[in-house]
Short mmCIF file of all heavy atoms in Angstrom, two decimals:
data_model
loop_
_atom_site.label_atom_id
_atom_site.label_comp_id
_atom_site.label_asym_id
_atom_site.label_seq_id
_atom_site.Cartn_x
_atom_site.Cartn_y
_atom_site.Cartn_z
N MET A 420 110.77 123.28 119.75
CA MET A 420 111.88 124.19 119.87
C MET A 420 112.72 123.80 121.09
O MET A 420 112.20 123.38 122.11
CB MET A 420 111.37 125.62 120.05
CG MET A 420 112.48 126.63 120.09
SD MET A 420 111.87 128.31 119.97
CE MET A 420 112.21 128.86 121.60
N MET A 421 114.02 123.96 120.96
CA MET A 421 114.95 123.62 122.03
C MET A 421 115.66 124.88 122.49
O MET A 421 116.13 125.68 121.68
CB MET A 421 115.98 122.62 121.50
CG MET A 421 116.89 122.09 122.55
SD MET A 421 118.14 120.93 121.89
CE MET A 421 117.14 119.76 121.01
N LEU A 422 115.70 125.08 123.80
CA LEU A 422 116.42 126.21 124.39
C LEU A 422 117.50 125.65 125.31
O LEU A 422 117.20 124.90 126.24
CB LEU A 422 115.47 127.11 125.18
CG LEU A 422 116.10 128.31 125.88
CD1 LEU A 422 116.73 129.26 124.86
CD2 LEU A 422 115.05 129.04 126.69
N ILE A 423 118.76 126.00 125.03
CA ILE A 423 119.88 125.50 125.80
C ILE A 423 120.41 126.61 126.70
O ILE A 423 120.77 127.69 126.22
CB ILE A 423 121.00 124.99 124.88
CG1 ILE A 423 120.47 123.89 123.96
CG2 ILE A 423 122.19 124.50 125.70
CD1 ILE A 423 121.43 123.46 122.88
N ALA A 424 120.46 126.35 128.00
CA ALA A 424 121.01 127.30 128.97
C ALA A 424 122.47 126.93 129.23
O ALA A 424 122.78 125.79 129.54
CB ALA A 424 120.22 127.26 130.27
N GLU A 425 123.36 127.90 129.11
CA GLU A 425 124.80 127.69 129.34
C GLU A 425 125.15 128.11 130.76
O GLU A 425 124.98 129.28 131.13
CB GLU A 425 125.61 128.51 128.34
CG GLU A 425 127.08 128.58 128.62
CD GLU A 425 127.80 127.25 128.43
OE1 GLU A 425 127.54 126.56 127.44
OE2 GLU A 425 128.64 126.93 129.29
N ILE A 426 125.62 127.16 131.55
CA ILE A 426 126.07 127.46 132.90
C ILE A 426 127.58 127.62 132.93
O ILE A 426 128.11 128.45 133.67
CB ILE A 426 125.61 126.37 133.89
CG1 ILE A 426 124.10 126.42 134.05
CG2 ILE A 426 126.30 126.51 135.24
CD1 ILE A 426 123.52 125.34 134.91
N GLY A 427 128.28 126.84 132.14
CA GLY A 427 129.74 126.92 132.09
C GLY A 427 130.35 126.71 133.46
O GLY A 427 130.05 125.75 134.15
N LEU A 428 131.20 127.62 133.87
CA LEU A 428 131.83 127.57 135.19
C LEU A 428 131.27 128.65 136.12
O LEU A 428 131.84 128.92 137.17
CB LEU A 428 133.35 127.75 135.06
CG LEU A 428 134.08 126.68 134.28
CD1 LEU A 428 135.56 127.05 134.11
CD2 LEU A 428 133.96 125.32 134.93
N CYS A 429 130.13 129.23 135.75
CA CYS A 429 129.56 130.34 136.51
C CYS A 429 129.08 129.93 137.90
O CYS A 429 128.76 130.80 138.72
CB CYS A 429 128.41 130.98 135.73
SG CYS A 429 128.97 131.80 134.23
N HIS A 430 129.04 128.64 138.19
CA HIS A 430 128.67 128.18 139.53
C HIS A 430 129.81 128.37 140.52
O HIS A 430 129.63 128.21 141.73
CB HIS A 430 128.25 126.71 139.50
CG HIS A 430 129.25 125.82 138.82
ND1 HIS A 430 130.49 125.54 139.33
CD2 HIS A 430 129.18 125.18 137.63
CE1 HIS A 430 131.15 124.75 138.52
NE2 HIS A 430 130.37 124.52 137.46
N ASN A 431 130.98 128.70 140.01
CA ASN A 431 132.17 128.95 140.85
C ASN A 431 132.51 127.79 141.78
O ASN A 431 133.04 127.99 142.87
CB ASN A 431 132.02 130.24 141.66
CG ASN A 431 132.06 131.45 140.78
OD1 ASN A 431 132.81 131.49 139.80
ND2 ASN A 431 131.26 132.44 141.08
N GLY A 432 132.18 126.56 141.36
CA GLY A 432 132.50 125.38 142.16
C GLY A 432 131.48 125.08 143.24
O GLY A 432 131.68 124.17 144.04
N SER A 433 130.38 125.81 143.28
CA SER A 433 129.35 125.62 144.31
C SER A 433 128.21 124.77 143.78
O SER A 433 127.54 125.14 142.81
CB SER A 433 128.80 126.98 144.76
OG SER A 433 127.60 126.82 145.50
N MET A 434 127.97 123.64 144.42
CA MET A 434 126.85 122.78 144.02
C MET A 434 125.52 123.50 144.22
O MET A 434 124.62 123.38 143.39
CB MET A 434 126.87 121.48 144.82
CG MET A 434 127.98 120.53 144.42
SD MET A 434 127.76 119.88 142.75
CE MET A 434 126.40 118.76 143.02
N ALA A 435 125.39 124.24 145.30
CA ALA A 435 124.13 124.97 145.56
C ALA A 435 123.86 125.96 144.43
O ALA A 435 122.73 126.07 143.94
CB ALA A 435 124.19 125.67 146.90
N THR A 436 124.89 126.67 144.01
CA THR A 436 124.73 127.64 142.92
C THR A 436 124.41 126.93 141.62
O THR A 436 123.54 127.38 140.87
CB THR A 436 126.00 128.51 142.78
OG1 THR A 436 126.22 129.19 144.01
CG2 THR A 436 125.87 129.50 141.65
N ALA A 437 125.08 125.83 141.34
CA ALA A 437 124.83 125.08 140.11
C ALA A 437 123.38 124.59 140.08
O ALA A 437 122.70 124.72 139.05
CB ALA A 437 125.79 123.91 140.00
N LYS A 438 122.90 124.06 141.19
CA LYS A 438 121.51 123.59 141.24
C LYS A 438 120.53 124.75 141.08
O LYS A 438 119.51 124.62 140.39
CB LYS A 438 121.24 122.83 142.54
CG LYS A 438 121.89 121.47 142.56
CD LYS A 438 121.62 120.74 143.86
CE LYS A 438 122.26 119.37 143.84
NZ LYS A 438 121.98 118.61 145.06
N GLU A 439 120.83 125.88 141.70
CA GLU A 439 119.96 127.05 141.55
C GLU A 439 119.92 127.50 140.09
O GLU A 439 118.87 127.86 139.56
CB GLU A 439 120.44 128.18 142.45
CG GLU A 439 119.56 129.42 142.36
CD GLU A 439 120.04 130.55 143.26
OE1 GLU A 439 121.17 130.50 143.76
OE2 GLU A 439 119.25 131.48 143.44
N MET A 440 121.06 127.49 139.43
CA MET A 440 121.12 127.90 138.02
C MET A 440 120.32 126.94 137.14
O MET A 440 119.64 127.37 136.21
CB MET A 440 122.57 127.99 137.56
CG MET A 440 123.34 129.11 138.24
SD MET A 440 125.08 129.15 137.80
CE MET A 440 124.97 129.94 136.20
N ILE A 441 120.38 125.66 137.44
CA ILE A 441 119.60 124.67 136.70
C ILE A 441 118.11 124.92 136.91
O ILE A 441 117.32 124.91 135.97
CB ILE A 441 120.00 123.24 137.11
CG1 ILE A 441 121.43 122.93 136.63
CG2 ILE A 441 119.01 122.21 136.55
CD1 ILE A 441 122.02 121.65 137.21
N ARG A 442 117.73 125.15 138.17
CA ARG A 442 116.32 125.40 138.48
C ARG A 442 115.81 126.66 137.77
O ARG A 442 114.74 126.66 137.17
CB ARG A 442 116.13 125.55 140.00
CG ARG A 442 114.69 125.83 140.43
CD ARG A 442 114.59 126.11 141.92
NE ARG A 442 115.43 127.21 142.36
CZ ARG A 442 115.17 128.51 142.17
NH1 ARG A 442 114.08 128.89 141.53
NH2 ARG A 442 115.99 129.45 142.63
N ILE A 443 116.60 127.71 137.79
CA ILE A 443 116.20 128.96 137.14
C ILE A 443 116.12 128.77 135.63
O ILE A 443 115.20 129.29 134.98
CB ILE A 443 117.17 130.10 137.52
CG1 ILE A 443 116.97 130.46 139.00
CG2 ILE A 443 116.97 131.32 136.63
CD1 ILE A 443 118.04 131.39 139.56
N ALA A 444 117.07 128.03 135.06
CA ALA A 444 117.03 127.75 133.62
C ALA A 444 115.72 127.04 133.26
O ALA A 444 115.07 127.38 132.27
CB ALA A 444 118.23 126.90 133.21
N LYS A 445 115.33 126.07 134.07
CA LYS A 445 114.06 125.35 133.86
C LYS A 445 112.88 126.33 133.94
O LYS A 445 112.00 126.31 133.08
CB LYS A 445 113.93 124.25 134.91
CG LYS A 445 112.58 123.61 135.02
CD LYS A 445 112.27 122.73 133.85
CE LYS A 445 110.94 122.02 134.12
NZ LYS A 445 110.43 121.36 132.96
N GLU A 446 112.87 127.19 134.96
CA GLU A 446 111.79 128.16 135.11
C GLU A 446 111.71 129.13 133.94
O GLU A 446 110.63 129.62 133.61
CB GLU A 446 111.96 128.94 136.42
CG GLU A 446 111.70 128.12 137.66
CD GLU A 446 111.99 128.88 138.95
OE1 GLU A 446 112.33 130.08 138.90
OE2 GLU A 446 111.88 128.25 140.02
N CYS A 447 112.84 129.40 133.31
CA CYS A 447 112.89 130.32 132.16
C CYS A 447 112.57 129.63 130.85
O CYS A 447 112.59 130.28 129.80
CB CYS A 447 114.25 130.98 132.09
SG CYS A 447 114.54 132.14 133.44
N GLY A 448 112.31 128.32 130.88
CA GLY A 448 111.91 127.61 129.68
C GLY A 448 113.00 126.83 128.98
O GLY A 448 112.77 126.29 127.89
N ALA A 449 114.17 126.73 129.58
CA ALA A 449 115.24 125.94 128.95
C ALA A 449 114.86 124.47 128.94
O ALA A 449 114.21 123.97 129.85
CB ALA A 449 116.55 126.14 129.70
N THR A 450 115.27 123.79 127.88
CA THR A 450 115.02 122.36 127.77
C THR A 450 116.30 121.56 128.04
O THR A 450 116.24 120.37 128.31
CB THR A 450 114.47 122.00 126.38
OG1 THR A 450 115.32 122.59 125.38
CG2 THR A 450 113.06 122.53 126.20
N ILE A 451 117.44 122.22 127.94
CA ILE A 451 118.74 121.59 128.16
C ILE A 451 119.62 122.58 128.92
O ILE A 451 119.56 123.78 128.68
CB ILE A 451 119.42 121.21 126.83
CG1 ILE A 451 118.61 120.15 126.09
CG2 ILE A 451 120.85 120.72 127.05
CD1 ILE A 451 119.12 119.84 124.71
N VAL A 452 120.46 122.06 129.82
CA VAL A 452 121.44 122.88 130.51
C VAL A 452 122.82 122.34 130.15
O VAL A 452 123.07 121.15 130.22
CB VAL A 452 121.25 122.83 132.04
CG1 VAL A 452 122.35 123.60 132.75
CG2 VAL A 452 119.91 123.39 132.42
N LYS A 453 123.71 123.24 129.75
CA LYS A 453 125.07 122.88 129.37
C LYS A 453 126.03 123.45 130.40
O LYS A 453 125.90 124.60 130.80
CB LYS A 453 125.41 123.43 128.00
CG LYS A 453 126.81 123.12 127.53
CD LYS A 453 127.07 123.80 126.19
CE LYS A 453 128.51 123.66 125.77
NZ LYS A 453 129.45 124.34 126.65
N SER A 454 126.98 122.64 130.83
CA SER A 454 127.98 123.09 131.78
C SER A 454 129.34 122.62 131.32
O SER A 454 129.48 122.08 130.23
CB SER A 454 127.65 122.54 133.18
OG SER A 454 128.50 123.13 134.14
N GLN A 455 130.35 122.81 132.16
CA GLN A 455 131.71 122.36 131.87
C GLN A 455 132.03 121.22 132.83
O GLN A 455 131.70 121.28 134.00
CB GLN A 455 132.71 123.49 132.08
CG GLN A 455 132.45 124.71 131.24
CD GLN A 455 132.68 124.47 129.76
OE1 GLN A 455 133.53 123.70 129.37
NE2 GLN A 455 131.90 125.14 128.94
N ALA A 456 132.70 120.21 132.32
CA ALA A 456 133.13 119.10 133.16
C ALA A 456 134.54 118.72 132.76
O ALA A 456 134.90 118.79 131.60
CB ALA A 456 132.19 117.91 132.99
N GLY A 457 135.31 118.35 133.74
CA GLY A 457 136.68 117.92 133.48
C GLY A 457 137.60 118.33 134.60
O GLY A 457 137.20 119.02 135.53
N THR A 458 138.83 117.90 134.50
CA THR A 458 139.82 118.29 135.50
C THR A 458 140.29 119.70 135.19
O THR A 458 140.13 120.18 134.07
CB THR A 458 141.02 117.34 135.47
OG1 THR A 458 141.72 117.51 134.23
CG2 THR A 458 140.60 115.88 135.64
N PRO A 459 140.88 120.39 136.16
CA PRO A 459 141.39 121.74 135.89
C PRO A 459 142.33 121.80 134.68
O PRO A 459 142.29 122.74 133.91
CB PRO A 459 142.10 122.11 137.18
CG PRO A 459 141.35 121.36 138.23
CD PRO A 459 141.00 120.04 137.57
N ASP A 460 143.14 120.76 134.50
CA ASP A 460 144.03 120.74 133.33
C ASP A 460 143.25 120.63 132.02
O ASP A 460 143.62 121.21 131.01
CB ASP A 460 145.05 119.61 133.43
CG ASP A 460 146.12 119.90 134.47
OD1 ASP A 460 146.43 121.08 134.71
OD2 ASP A 460 146.67 118.93 135.03
N ASP A 461 142.13 119.88 132.05
CA ASP A 461 141.28 119.76 130.86
C ASP A 461 140.60 121.08 130.53
O ASP A 461 140.40 121.42 129.37
CB ASP A 461 140.18 118.70 131.06
CG ASP A 461 140.70 117.29 131.20
OD1 ASP A 461 141.81 117.01 130.69
OD2 ASP A 461 140.01 116.47 131.83
N LEU A 462 140.19 121.80 131.57
CA LEU A 462 139.43 123.04 131.40
C LEU A 462 140.32 124.24 131.15
O LEU A 462 139.84 125.29 130.76
CB LEU A 462 138.58 123.30 132.66
CG LEU A 462 137.54 122.25 133.01
CD1 LEU A 462 136.94 122.56 134.38
CD2 LEU A 462 136.47 122.18 131.95
N ARG A 463 141.58 124.08 131.39
CA ARG A 463 142.50 125.21 131.39
C ARG A 463 142.45 126.01 130.09
O ARG A 463 142.53 125.47 129.00
CB ARG A 463 143.92 124.74 131.64
CG ARG A 463 144.84 125.91 131.95
CD ARG A 463 146.01 125.45 132.73
NE ARG A 463 146.77 126.64 133.14
CZ ARG A 463 147.97 126.58 133.60
NH1 ARG A 463 148.58 125.44 133.71
NH2 ARG A 463 148.59 127.68 133.96
N GLY A 464 142.32 127.30 130.25
CA GLY A 464 142.29 128.23 129.13
C GLY A 464 143.21 129.38 129.42
O GLY A 464 144.35 129.20 129.84
N SER A 465 142.70 130.58 129.28
CA SER A 465 143.53 131.78 129.43
C SER A 465 143.69 132.24 130.88
O SER A 465 144.52 133.08 131.16
CB SER A 465 142.94 132.91 128.60
OG SER A 465 141.64 133.22 129.06
N MET A 466 142.90 131.68 131.78
CA MET A 466 142.98 132.09 133.19
C MET A 466 144.04 131.26 133.92
O MET A 466 144.40 130.17 133.47
CB MET A 466 141.62 131.89 133.86
CG MET A 466 140.49 132.68 133.23
SD MET A 466 140.73 134.45 133.31
CE MET A 466 140.48 134.74 135.04
N PRO A 467 144.52 131.74 135.08
CA PRO A 467 145.48 130.96 135.86
C PRO A 467 144.87 129.62 136.30
O PRO A 467 143.65 129.51 136.48
CB PRO A 467 145.76 131.84 137.08
CG PRO A 467 145.35 133.21 136.67
CD PRO A 467 144.25 133.04 135.67
N LEU A 468 145.71 128.62 136.48
CA LEU A 468 145.25 127.28 136.85
C LEU A 468 144.37 127.32 138.10
O LEU A 468 143.36 126.61 138.17
CB LEU A 468 146.45 126.36 137.08
CG LEU A 468 146.13 124.92 137.48
CD1 LEU A 468 145.27 124.23 136.42
CD2 LEU A 468 147.41 124.15 137.72
N LYS A 469 144.69 128.15 139.08
CA LYS A 469 143.89 128.24 140.32
C LYS A 469 142.43 128.58 140.03
O LYS A 469 141.53 128.08 140.70
CB LYS A 469 144.51 129.29 141.26
CG LYS A 469 143.70 129.51 142.53
CD LYS A 469 144.46 129.06 143.73
CE LYS A 469 143.77 129.45 145.02
NZ LYS A 469 142.69 128.56 145.38
N PHE A 470 142.19 129.40 139.03
CA PHE A 470 140.82 129.75 138.63
C PHE A 470 140.02 128.49 138.32
O PHE A 470 138.90 128.33 138.78
CB PHE A 470 140.86 130.68 137.41
CG PHE A 470 139.51 130.97 136.82
CD1 PHE A 470 138.75 132.03 137.29
CD2 PHE A 470 139.00 130.20 135.79
CE1 PHE A 470 137.51 132.31 136.74
CE2 PHE A 470 137.76 130.47 135.22
CZ PHE A 470 137.01 131.53 135.71
N TYR A 471 140.61 127.59 137.55
CA TYR A 471 139.93 126.35 137.16
C TYR A 471 139.88 125.35 138.30
O TYR A 471 138.89 124.64 138.45
CB TYR A 471 140.61 125.75 135.92
CG TYR A 471 140.55 126.70 134.76
CD1 TYR A 471 141.64 127.48 134.42
CD2 TYR A 471 139.38 126.85 134.02
CE1 TYR A 471 141.58 128.38 133.37
CE2 TYR A 471 139.31 127.75 132.97
CZ TYR A 471 140.42 128.52 132.65
OH TYR A 471 140.34 129.41 131.62
N GLN A 472 140.92 125.32 139.13
CA GLN A 472 140.91 124.43 140.30
C GLN A 472 139.77 124.79 141.25
O GLN A 472 139.12 123.92 141.80
CB GLN A 472 142.25 124.51 141.04
CG GLN A 472 143.39 123.88 140.28
CD GLN A 472 144.74 124.15 140.90
OE1 GLN A 472 144.94 125.18 141.55
NE2 GLN A 472 145.67 123.25 140.69
N ASP A 473 139.52 126.08 141.43
CA ASP A 473 138.47 126.54 142.33
C ASP A 473 137.07 126.24 141.80
O ASP A 473 136.11 126.22 142.56
CB ASP A 473 138.59 128.04 142.59
CG ASP A 473 139.81 128.40 143.41
OD1 ASP A 473 140.42 127.50 144.03
OD2 ASP A 473 140.16 129.59 143.44
N ARG A 474 136.93 126.04 140.51
CA ARG A 474 135.62 125.87 139.90
C ARG A 474 135.32 124.46 139.41
O ARG A 474 134.20 124.17 139.03
CB ARG A 474 135.48 126.86 138.74
CG ARG A 474 135.31 128.28 139.25
CD ARG A 474 135.72 129.32 138.24
NE ARG A 474 135.56 130.66 138.79
CZ ARG A 474 136.43 131.23 139.60
NH1 ARG A 474 137.53 130.60 139.97
NH2 ARG A 474 136.21 132.44 140.08
N ALA A 475 136.32 123.59 139.41
CA ALA A 475 136.12 122.23 138.92
C ALA A 475 135.21 121.43 139.85
O ALA A 475 135.31 121.53 141.07
CB ALA A 475 137.47 121.53 138.77
N LEU A 476 134.32 120.67 139.26
CA LEU A 476 133.47 119.76 140.02
C LEU A 476 133.97 118.34 139.80
O LEU A 476 134.48 118.01 138.73
CB LEU A 476 132.01 119.88 139.55
CG LEU A 476 131.36 121.25 139.72
CD1 LEU A 476 129.96 121.23 139.12
CD2 LEU A 476 131.31 121.65 141.18
N SER A 477 133.80 117.50 140.79
CA SER A 477 134.21 116.09 140.67
C SER A 477 133.22 115.36 139.76
O SER A 477 132.11 115.84 139.50
CB SER A 477 134.24 115.44 142.04
OG SER A 477 132.92 115.30 142.55
N ALA A 478 133.62 114.17 139.32
CA ALA A 478 132.72 113.34 138.51
C ALA A 478 131.45 113.04 139.29
O ALA A 478 130.34 113.08 138.73
CB ALA A 478 133.43 112.05 138.09
N HIS A 479 131.58 112.76 140.58
CA HIS A 479 130.42 112.49 141.42
C HIS A 479 129.48 113.70 141.45
O HIS A 479 128.25 113.55 141.37
CB HIS A 479 130.87 112.12 142.84
CG HIS A 479 129.73 111.94 143.79
ND1 HIS A 479 128.95 110.81 143.81
CD2 HIS A 479 129.23 112.75 144.75
CE1 HIS A 479 128.01 110.94 144.73
NE2 HIS A 479 128.17 112.11 145.33
N GLN A 480 130.03 114.89 141.58
CA GLN A 480 129.21 116.11 141.60
C GLN A 480 128.51 116.32 140.26
O GLN A 480 127.34 116.72 140.23
CB GLN A 480 130.06 117.33 141.94
CG GLN A 480 130.51 117.36 143.39
CD GLN A 480 131.49 118.47 143.67
OE1 GLN A 480 132.47 118.63 142.94
NE2 GLN A 480 131.23 119.24 144.71
N CYS A 481 129.20 116.04 139.16
CA CYS A 481 128.57 116.18 137.84
C CYS A 481 127.40 115.22 137.70
O CYS A 481 126.34 115.60 137.20
CB CYS A 481 129.60 115.94 136.74
SG CYS A 481 130.84 117.25 136.61
N ILE A 482 127.57 113.99 138.16
CA ILE A 482 126.48 113.01 138.12
C ILE A 482 125.32 113.48 138.99
O ILE A 482 124.15 113.37 138.59
CB ILE A 482 126.98 111.62 138.53
CG1 ILE A 482 127.94 111.08 137.46
CG2 ILE A 482 125.82 110.65 138.77
CD1 ILE A 482 128.72 109.85 137.87
N GLU A 483 125.63 114.03 140.15
CA GLU A 483 124.58 114.56 141.03
C GLU A 483 123.79 115.66 140.34
O GLU A 483 122.56 115.73 140.44
CB GLU A 483 125.20 115.08 142.33
CG GLU A 483 124.18 115.58 143.33
CD GLU A 483 124.80 116.09 144.62
OE1 GLU A 483 125.90 115.64 144.99
OE2 GLU A 483 124.15 116.94 145.27
N LEU A 484 124.47 116.54 139.61
CA LEU A 484 123.78 117.61 138.89
C LEU A 484 122.94 117.07 137.75
O LEU A 484 121.82 117.57 137.51
CB LEU A 484 124.79 118.65 138.37
CG LEU A 484 125.46 119.51 139.43
CD1 LEU A 484 126.50 120.41 138.79
CD2 LEU A 484 124.44 120.33 140.22
N ILE A 485 123.43 116.06 137.05
CA ILE A 485 122.64 115.45 135.98
C ILE A 485 121.36 114.85 136.55
O ILE A 485 120.27 115.05 136.02
CB ILE A 485 123.47 114.38 135.24
CG1 ILE A 485 124.58 115.05 134.43
CG2 ILE A 485 122.58 113.53 134.34
CD1 ILE A 485 125.65 114.10 133.91
N CYS A 486 121.48 114.15 137.67
CA CYS A 486 120.32 113.55 138.33
C CYS A 486 119.34 114.63 138.79
O CYS A 486 118.12 114.49 138.62
CB CYS A 486 120.74 112.69 139.50
SG CYS A 486 121.61 111.18 139.01
N TYR A 487 119.87 115.70 139.35
CA TYR A 487 119.02 116.82 139.80
C TYR A 487 118.26 117.40 138.62
O TYR A 487 117.03 117.61 138.70
CB TYR A 487 119.87 117.89 140.47
CG TYR A 487 119.07 119.12 140.84
CD1 TYR A 487 118.22 119.12 141.93
CD2 TYR A 487 119.15 120.27 140.07
CE1 TYR A 487 117.46 120.23 142.25
CE2 TYR A 487 118.40 121.40 140.38
CZ TYR A 487 117.55 121.37 141.48
OH TYR A 487 116.80 122.48 141.78
N ALA A 488 118.96 117.64 137.52
CA ALA A 488 118.32 118.22 136.34
C ALA A 488 117.21 117.28 135.82
O ALA A 488 116.12 117.74 135.49
CB ALA A 488 119.35 118.49 135.25
N ARG A 489 117.50 116.02 135.76
CA ARG A 489 116.48 115.06 135.29
C ARG A 489 115.28 115.04 136.22
O ARG A 489 114.14 114.97 135.76
CB ARG A 489 117.09 113.66 135.19
CG ARG A 489 118.00 113.51 134.00
CD ARG A 489 118.54 112.11 133.91
NE ARG A 489 119.39 111.97 132.73
CZ ARG A 489 120.19 110.97 132.52
NH1 ARG A 489 120.27 109.99 133.40
NH2 ARG A 489 120.92 110.92 131.42
N ASN A 490 115.54 115.10 137.53
CA ASN A 490 114.45 115.06 138.51
C ASN A 490 113.52 116.26 138.39
O ASN A 490 112.33 116.15 138.71
CB ASN A 490 114.99 114.96 139.94
CG ASN A 490 115.50 113.58 140.27
OD1 ASN A 490 115.12 112.60 139.65
ND2 ASN A 490 116.37 113.51 141.25
N ILE A 491 114.04 117.41 137.96
CA ILE A 491 113.16 118.57 137.81
C ILE A 491 112.66 118.74 136.38
O ILE A 491 111.98 119.70 136.07
CB ILE A 491 113.82 119.87 138.33
CG1 ILE A 491 115.04 120.29 137.50
CG2 ILE A 491 114.19 119.74 139.81
CD1 ILE A 491 115.53 121.70 137.82
N GLY A 492 113.06 117.81 135.51
CA GLY A 492 112.49 117.80 134.16
C GLY A 492 113.23 118.62 133.13
O GLY A 492 112.63 119.14 132.19
N ILE A 493 114.52 118.76 133.29
CA ILE A 493 115.30 119.47 132.28
C ILE A 493 116.46 118.60 131.85
O ILE A 493 116.93 117.77 132.60
CB ILE A 493 115.79 120.84 132.81
CG1 ILE A 493 116.42 121.65 131.68
CG2 ILE A 493 116.71 120.70 133.97
CD1 ILE A 493 116.69 123.09 132.04
#
């Protein structure tokens, strides 16, 4: 069975929060964590652009989160 945890933009642009959410997802039994990646223009939806600018992670940060998730086994 596969359990996917959705993080989306709920980390609010904070790497510490994103890592904590990944860790908690693992503790709750998730096998995969899904988030959002892209530039603010790519992510843009119904909220003002500033909302997405404040929450966007760089490519380097996304890679760091992927490595973190792999290191803890999710």
Side-chain angles (χ1 to χ4, degrees):
M420 184 169 110
M421 186 181 308
L422 178 62
I423 302 172
E425 169 69 44
I426 291 176
L428 297 175
C429 294
H430 51 69
N431 291 323
S433 166
M434 287 294 287
T436 300
K438 287 180 179 182
E439 181 180 14
M440 293 175 79
I441 292 169
R442 180 186 56 76
I443 291 169
K445 167 72 174 169
E446 289 175 4
C447 291
T450 50
I451 295 174
V452 175
K453 179 184 173 295
S454 189
Q455 302 292 327
T458 67
D460 287 332
D461 294 335
L462 298 172
R463 192 156 187 195
S465 61
M466 301 298 289
L468 180 59
K469 177 114 172 80
F470 173 88
Y471 299 100
Q472 290 171 332
D473 291 345
R474 288 156 181 80
L476 299 176
S477 69
H479 175 77
Q480 289 173 310
C481 290
I482 292 168
E483 183 179 334
L484 290 176
I485 290 167
C486 291
Y487 174 76
R489 286 182 178 166
N490 285 338
I491 66 169
I493 189 169

